[in-house]
Amino acid sequence: MARPIVLILGGYGVFGRRIAANLARREEIDLVIAGRHAAAAAALVQALGTGRARSLAVDMEQPNAVSALLAAKPAVVVDTLGPFQTRNLALPRSCAGRGVHYVDISDARARTADIVSLDAAARVEHAAVICGASAVPAISTAIVDELAPKPHEVVSIDVGISPGHRAPPGIATVASILGYCGKPIPPVCGDRETYGWGDLTRFQYPAPAGERWLSNLDSPERVLWRTRYPSLEEADVRLGFEVGILHLALSALSRGVRIGVLPPLTRLAKPILQMAKAFNPLGSDTAVMHVRVGTRDAHARTATRTGIIVAEHGDGLEVPAAPASAVVKKLLGLRGYAPIEKRGAFACIGILTREEIMHEMRDFSVRYEADR
């Protein structure tokens, strides 16, 4: 019996190569590493050291790109090719229409709404088209659900993510952040005025991370949590740079965009990444993420619980990559994984537990702490 094929678009990128390395350890599947740069894809295939992987050169800006990908006959397509704000739905729409499972790692709010529009087509072909198999909304929501098992009791949520400076994300991630800096974004709940990279605050993380700055992230939770947690009164999702001077500098730039004295910052992605290297001595390789949940029960009794992920030794980039790996294994029903039976197009919430996600990082320096 032929092994199912998992095609990873952008498979040699920052997150794609981590997903590929994870899946390559499973002998039940074959891999296709796809992307515009043939040499990079081939190099990763060689590095994986398995005869069950091959490369595929494809430029997604070409009109035949989607057909070329699906000609590989994948059972699952994993899309890591950001920034997703600028991507159309050609690939997930084609996957839905042909009964091919699709998983992306988008943390873009608008992308989630777009993906859901494919629900009817995906259901007809018995495909799962899943958006946001990443730190947000997959991990953030899984932790909320574990800390507060009764959704109607959740009244407040505070999420913060701060990567280690010496293990930076790719240019697509930085471009995504810059794209909404200083621009209006919807509040998670209520109607207060909210702006990208606004609401500057600090959070005290466990050692060795310490205190870090955080600002507003335009993430899918801003539209997903309003219905998932009907009693929600206050919620924030924030992101932060570890090196304070860089975070505060971007905060100042975002304010310039907000008041109209600066243009959008998207074109600064490459310069900012280059400049950040000069601050490497001030940073570390420790990434952190916290989720704090406030609840109120039927007797008006309140409680607050916090869960924190700490990733050391440069393993922080494994965190946003882990949910996609788990989703693929569950879609294929691999040994040791409870199958995902749900079909249609939907965000990656309610289909993974926090424990399932952490299991994917068991070989890395990543730990989870929660108060009791």
Side-chain angles (χ1 to χ4, degrees), residues 268-292:
L268 297 179
K270 286 185 178 179
I272 285 178
L273 278 176
Q274 289 297 320
M275 181 181 65
K277 294 179 181 179
F279 292 88
N280 280 352
L282 301 180
S284 73
D285 57 7
T286 299
V288 282
M289 175 177 183
H290 80 268
V291 179
R292 177 168 289 168

PDB file of all heavy atoms in Angstrom, residues 268-292:
ATOM      1  N   LEU A 268      10.055  48.039   5.506  1.00  0.00           N
ATOM      2  CA  LEU A 268      11.191  48.079   6.425  1.00  0.00           C
ATOM      3  C   LEU A 268      11.596  46.704   6.939  1.00  0.00           C
ATOM      4  O   LEU A 268      12.500  46.594   7.767  1.00  0.00           O
ATOM      5  CB  LEU A 268      10.873  48.988   7.615  1.00  0.00           C
ATOM      6  CG  LEU A 268      10.629  50.466   7.328  1.00  0.00           C
ATOM      7  CD1 LEU A 268      10.301  51.199   8.624  1.00  0.00           C
ATOM      8  CD2 LEU A 268      11.831  51.081   6.654  1.00  0.00           C
ATOM      9  N   ALA A 269      10.945  45.643   6.469  1.00  0.00           N
ATOM     10  CA  ALA A 269      11.209  44.304   7.008  1.00  0.00           C
ATOM     11  C   ALA A 269      12.682  43.917   6.903  1.00  0.00           C
ATOM     12  O   ALA A 269      13.308  43.509   7.894  1.00  0.00           O
ATOM     13  CB  ALA A 269      10.323  43.270   6.307  1.00  0.00           C
ATOM     14  N   LYS A 270      13.262  44.039   5.728  1.00  0.00           N
ATOM     15  CA  LYS A 270      14.683  43.655   5.557  1.00  0.00           C
ATOM     16  C   LYS A 270      15.616  44.538   6.372  1.00  0.00           C
ATOM     17  O   LYS A 270      16.504  44.036   7.067  1.00  0.00           O
ATOM     18  CB  LYS A 270      15.057  43.677   4.072  1.00  0.00           C
ATOM     19  CG  LYS A 270      14.485  42.511   3.280  1.00  0.00           C
ATOM     20  CD  LYS A 270      14.999  42.531   1.845  1.00  0.00           C
ATOM     21  CE  LYS A 270      14.467  41.326   1.067  1.00  0.00           C
ATOM     22  NZ  LYS A 270      14.941  41.335  -0.347  1.00  0.00           N
ATOM     23  N   PRO A 271      15.456  45.879   6.322  1.00  0.00           N
ATOM     24  CA  PRO A 271      16.342  46.727   7.138  1.00  0.00           C
ATOM     25  C   PRO A 271      16.246  46.437   8.629  1.00  0.00           C
ATOM     26  O   PRO A 271      17.256  46.458   9.338  1.00  0.00           O
ATOM     27  CB  PRO A 271      15.867  48.151   6.815  1.00  0.00           C
ATOM     28  CG  PRO A 271      15.238  48.047   5.467  1.00  0.00           C
ATOM     29  CD  PRO A 271      14.617  46.689   5.424  1.00  0.00           C
ATOM     30  N   ILE A 272      15.036  46.171   9.110  1.00  0.00           N
ATOM     31  CA  ILE A 272      14.874  45.897  10.538  1.00  0.00           C
ATOM     32  C   ILE A 272      15.569  44.598  10.919  1.00  0.00           C
ATOM     33  O   ILE A 272      16.243  44.512  11.960  1.00  0.00           O
ATOM     34  CB  ILE A 272      13.383  45.870  10.912  1.00  0.00           C
ATOM     35  CG1 ILE A 272      12.834  47.299  10.949  1.00  0.00           C
ATOM     36  CG2 ILE A 272      13.167  45.181  12.263  1.00  0.00           C
ATOM     37  CD1 ILE A 272      11.356  47.399  11.260  1.00  0.00           C
ATOM     38  N   LEU A 273      15.442  43.568  10.084  1.00  0.00           N
ATOM     39  CA  LEU A 273      16.115  42.302  10.366  1.00  0.00           C
ATOM     40  C   LEU A 273      17.633  42.481  10.368  1.00  0.00           C
ATOM     41  O   LEU A 273      18.341  41.906  11.210  1.00  0.00           O
ATOM     42  CB  LEU A 273      15.704  41.243   9.345  1.00  0.00           C
ATOM     43  CG  LEU A 273      14.382  40.528   9.598  1.00  0.00           C
ATOM     44  CD1 LEU A 273      14.057  39.589   8.447  1.00  0.00           C
ATOM     45  CD2 LEU A 273      14.430  39.747  10.909  1.00  0.00           C
ATOM     46  N   GLN A 274      18.150  43.272   9.433  1.00  0.00           N
ATOM     47  CA  GLN A 274      19.590  43.520   9.382  1.00  0.00           C
ATOM     48  C   GLN A 274      20.052  44.303  10.607  1.00  0.00           C
ATOM     49  O   GLN A 274      21.072  43.987  11.220  1.00  0.00           O
ATOM     50  CB  GLN A 274      19.941  44.282   8.103  1.00  0.00           C
ATOM     51  CG  GLN A 274      19.812  43.455   6.830  1.00  0.00           C
ATOM     52  CD  GLN A 274      20.767  42.275   6.803  1.00  0.00           C
ATOM     53  OE1 GLN A 274      21.918  42.379   7.222  1.00  0.00           O
ATOM     54  NE2 GLN A 274      20.303  41.143   6.319  1.00  0.00           N
ATOM     55  N   MET A 275      19.285  45.332  10.980  1.00  0.00           N
ATOM     56  CA  MET A 275      19.644  46.155  12.131  1.00  0.00           C
ATOM     57  C   MET A 275      19.600  45.349  13.423  1.00  0.00           C
ATOM     58  O   MET A 275      20.429  45.543  14.327  1.00  0.00           O
ATOM     59  CB  MET A 275      18.693  47.351  12.224  1.00  0.00           C
ATOM     60  CG  MET A 275      18.999  48.297  13.388  1.00  0.00           C
ATOM     61  SD  MET A 275      17.817  49.659  13.458  1.00  0.00           S
ATOM     62  CE  MET A 275      16.296  48.779  13.827  1.00  0.00           C
ATOM     63  N   ALA A 276      18.634  44.418  13.502  1.00  0.00           N
ATOM     64  CA  ALA A 276      18.467  43.627  14.725  1.00  0.00           C
ATOM     65  C   ALA A 276      19.716  42.814  15.055  1.00  0.00           C
ATOM     66  O   ALA A 276      19.996  42.549  16.228  1.00  0.00           O
ATOM     67  CB  ALA A 276      17.256  42.720  14.592  1.00  0.00           C
ATOM     68  N   LYS A 277      20.471  42.420  14.018  1.00  0.00           N
ATOM     69  CA  LYS A 277      21.669  41.610  14.262  1.00  0.00           C
ATOM     70  C   LYS A 277      22.681  42.347  15.127  1.00  0.00           C
ATOM     71  O   LYS A 277      23.435  41.723  15.884  1.00  0.00           O
ATOM     72  CB  LYS A 277      22.299  41.215  12.929  1.00  0.00           C
ATOM     73  CG  LYS A 277      21.448  40.276  12.089  1.00  0.00           C
ATOM     74  CD  LYS A 277      22.135  39.948  10.772  1.00  0.00           C
ATOM     75  CE  LYS A 277      21.268  39.034   9.922  1.00  0.00           C
ATOM     76  NZ  LYS A 277      21.909  38.723   8.611  1.00  0.00           N
ATOM     77  N   ALA A 278      22.699  43.680  15.038  1.00  0.00           N
ATOM     78  CA  ALA A 278      23.653  44.461  15.831  1.00  0.00           C
ATOM     79  C   ALA A 278      23.351  44.375  17.319  1.00  0.00           C
ATOM     80  O   ALA A 278      24.227  44.661  18.148  1.00  0.00           O
ATOM     81  CB  ALA A 278      23.637  45.917  15.374  1.00  0.00           C
ATOM     82  N   PHE A 279      22.117  43.974  17.661  1.00  0.00           N
ATOM     83  CA  PHE A 279      21.716  43.906  19.066  1.00  0.00           C
ATOM     84  C   PHE A 279      21.791  42.482  19.629  1.00  0.00           C
ATOM     85  O   PHE A 279      21.321  42.235  20.737  1.00  0.00           O
ATOM     86  CB  PHE A 279      20.291  44.459  19.221  1.00  0.00           C
ATOM     87  CG  PHE A 279      20.186  45.930  18.958  1.00  0.00           C
ATOM     88  CD1 PHE A 279      19.972  46.407  17.674  1.00  0.00           C
ATOM     89  CD2 PHE A 279      20.308  46.847  19.999  1.00  0.00           C
ATOM     90  CE1 PHE A 279      19.873  47.775  17.422  1.00  0.00           C
ATOM     91  CE2 PHE A 279      20.216  48.211  19.758  1.00  0.00           C
ATOM     92  CZ  PHE A 279      20.004  48.667  18.465  1.00  0.00           C
ATOM     93  N   ASN A 280      22.390  41.562  18.866  1.00  0.00           N
ATOM     94  CA  ASN A 280      22.475  40.175  19.341  1.00  0.00           C
ATOM     95  C   ASN A 280      23.099  40.041  20.729  1.00  0.00           C
ATOM     96  O   ASN A 280      22.650  39.224  21.545  1.00  0.00           O
ATOM     97  CB  ASN A 280      23.253  39.330  18.344  1.00  0.00           C
ATOM     98  CG  ASN A 280      22.394  38.905  17.162  1.00  0.00           C
ATOM     99  OD1 ASN A 280      21.177  39.121  17.153  1.00  0.00           O
ATOM    100  ND2 ASN A 280      23.022  38.317  16.162  1.00  0.00           N
ATOM    101  N   PRO A 281      24.131  40.839  21.066  1.00  0.00           N
ATOM    102  CA  PRO A 281      24.708  40.707  22.411  1.00  0.00           C
ATOM    103  C   PRO A 281      23.732  41.045  23.533  1.00  0.00           C
ATOM    104  O   PRO A 281      23.939  40.628  24.679  1.00  0.00           O
ATOM    105  CB  PRO A 281      25.876  41.704  22.382  1.00  0.00           C
ATOM    106  CG  PRO A 281      26.246  41.825  20.941  1.00  0.00           C
ATOM    107  CD  PRO A 281      24.947  41.727  20.213  1.00  0.00           C
ATOM    108  N   LEU A 282      22.672  41.797  23.214  1.00  0.00           N
ATOM    109  CA  LEU A 282      21.689  42.171  24.236  1.00  0.00           C
ATOM    110  C   LEU A 282      20.561  41.151  24.372  1.00  0.00           C
ATOM    111  O   LEU A 282      19.756  41.247  25.299  1.00  0.00           O
ATOM    112  CB  LEU A 282      21.084  43.544  23.918  1.00  0.00           C
ATOM    113  CG  LEU A 282      22.056  44.722  23.815  1.00  0.00           C
ATOM    114  CD1 LEU A 282      21.297  45.998  23.488  1.00  0.00           C
ATOM    115  CD2 LEU A 282      22.826  44.875  25.118  1.00  0.00           C
ATOM    116  N   GLY A 283      20.512  40.203  23.450  1.00  0.00           N
ATOM    117  CA  GLY A 283      19.408  39.247  23.457  1.00  0.00           C
ATOM    118  C   GLY A 283      19.828  37.864  23.900  1.00  0.00           C
ATOM    119  O   GLY A 283      20.977  37.624  24.275  1.00  0.00           O
ATOM    120  N   SER A 284      18.871  36.958  23.865  1.00  0.00           N
ATOM    121  CA  SER A 284      19.121  35.574  24.274  1.00  0.00           C
ATOM    122  C   SER A 284      18.465  34.635  23.264  1.00  0.00           C
ATOM    123  O   SER A 284      17.889  35.070  22.271  1.00  0.00           O
ATOM    124  CB  SER A 284      18.533  35.321  25.671  1.00  0.00           C
ATOM    125  OG  SER A 284      17.106  35.250  25.604  1.00  0.00           O
ATOM    126  N   ASP A 285      18.558  33.344  23.530  1.00  0.00           N
ATOM    127  CA  ASP A 285      17.892  32.370  22.675  1.00  0.00           C
ATOM    128  C   ASP A 285      16.686  31.754  23.391  1.00  0.00           C
ATOM    129  O   ASP A 285      16.279  30.641  23.099  1.00  0.00           O
ATOM    130  CB  ASP A 285      18.872  31.273  22.243  1.00  0.00           C
ATOM    131  CG  ASP A 285      19.512  30.552  23.433  1.00  0.00           C
ATOM    132  OD1 ASP A 285      19.101  30.817  24.588  1.00  0.00           O
ATOM    133  OD2 ASP A 285      20.421  29.730  23.221  1.00  0.00           O
ATOM    134  N   THR A 286      16.103  32.501  24.331  1.00  0.00           N
ATOM    135  CA  THR A 286      14.951  32.022  25.092  1.00  0.00           C
ATOM    136  C   THR A 286      13.668  32.701  24.630  1.00  0.00           C
ATOM    137  O   THR A 286      13.563  33.933  24.649  1.00  0.00           O
ATOM    138  CB  THR A 286      15.137  32.274  26.601  1.00  0.00           C
ATOM    139  OG1 THR A 286      16.295  31.568  27.057  1.00  0.00           O
ATOM    140  CG2 THR A 286      13.922  31.794  27.389  1.00  0.00           C
ATOM    141  N   ALA A 287      12.691  31.903  24.227  1.00  0.00           N
ATOM    142  CA  ALA A 287      11.381  32.398  23.817  1.00  0.00           C
ATOM    143  C   ALA A 287      10.356  32.046  24.886  1.00  0.00           C
ATOM    144  O   ALA A 287      10.490  31.028  25.581  1.00  0.00           O
ATOM    145  CB  ALA A 287      10.974  31.782  22.482  1.00  0.00           C
ATOM    146  N   VAL A 288       9.339  32.884  25.017  1.00  0.00           N
ATOM    147  CA  VAL A 288       8.305  32.651  26.029  1.00  0.00           C
ATOM    148  C   VAL A 288       6.923  32.987  25.473  1.00  0.00           C
ATOM    149  O   VAL A 288       6.783  33.792  24.552  1.00  0.00           O
ATOM    150  CB  VAL A 288       8.562  33.495  27.300  1.00  0.00           C
ATOM    151  CG1 VAL A 288       9.635  32.877  28.165  1.00  0.00           C
ATOM    152  CG2 VAL A 288       8.947  34.931  26.943  1.00  0.00           C
ATOM    153  N   MET A 289       5.939  32.368  26.084  1.00  0.00           N
ATOM    154  CA  MET A 289       4.539  32.640  25.746  1.00  0.00           C
ATOM    155  C   MET A 289       3.707  32.439  27.004  1.00  0.00           C
ATOM    156  O   MET A 289       3.894  31.449  27.718  1.00  0.00           O
ATOM    157  CB  MET A 289       4.057  31.693  24.649  1.00  0.00           C
ATOM    158  CG  MET A 289       2.570  31.803  24.311  1.00  0.00           C
ATOM    159  SD  MET A 289       2.105  30.692  22.944  1.00  0.00           S
ATOM    160  CE  MET A 289       0.367  31.114  22.748  1.00  0.00           C
ATOM    161  N   HIS A 290       2.818  33.381  27.294  1.00  0.00           N
ATOM    162  CA  HIS A 290       1.947  33.200  28.455  1.00  0.00           C
ATOM    163  C   HIS A 290       0.483  33.327  28.043  1.00  0.00           C
ATOM    164  O   HIS A 290       0.140  34.027  27.084  1.00  0.00           O
ATOM    165  CB  HIS A 290       2.280  34.217  29.561  1.00  0.00           C
ATOM    166  CG  HIS A 290       1.684  35.578  29.335  1.00  0.00           C
ATOM    167  ND1 HIS A 290       2.358  36.598  28.676  1.00  0.00           N
ATOM    168  CD2 HIS A 290       0.478  36.103  29.679  1.00  0.00           C
ATOM    169  CE1 HIS A 290       1.598  37.672  28.626  1.00  0.00           C
ATOM    170  NE2 HIS A 290       0.446  37.404  29.223  1.00  0.00           N
ATOM    171  N   VAL A 291      -0.356  32.623  28.774  1.00  0.00           N
ATOM    172  CA  VAL A 291      -1.812  32.726  28.628  1.00  0.00           C
ATOM    173  C   VAL A 291      -2.397  32.809  30.037  1.00  0.00           C
ATOM    174  O   VAL A 291      -2.254  31.876  30.832  1.00  0.00           O
ATOM    175  CB  VAL A 291      -2.407  31.508  27.892  1.00  0.00           C
ATOM    176  CG1 VAL A 291      -3.928  31.644  27.796  1.00  0.00           C
ATOM    177  CG2 VAL A 291      -1.798  31.362  26.500  1.00  0.00           C
ATOM    178  N   ARG A 292      -3.008  33.936  30.357  1.00  0.00           N
ATOM    179  CA  ARG A 292      -3.638  34.140  31.672  1.00  0.00           C
ATOM    180  C   ARG A 292      -5.157  34.220  31.475  1.00  0.00           C
ATOM    181  O   ARG A 292      -5.638  35.009  30.657  1.00  0.00           O
ATOM    182  CB  ARG A 292      -3.114  35.409  32.328  1.00  0.00           C
ATOM    183  CG  ARG A 292      -3.764  35.753  33.668  1.00  0.00           C
ATOM    184  CD  ARG A 292      -2.976  36.849  34.379  1.00  0.00           C
ATOM    185  NE  ARG A 292      -1.699  36.323  34.852  1.00  0.00           N
ATOM    186  CZ  ARG A 292      -0.705  37.077  35.305  1.00  0.00           C
ATOM    187  NH1 ARG A 292      -0.830  38.395  35.320  1.00  0.00           N
ATOM    188  NH2 ARG A 292       0.420  36.522  35.738  1.00  0.00           N
TER     189      ARG A 292
END
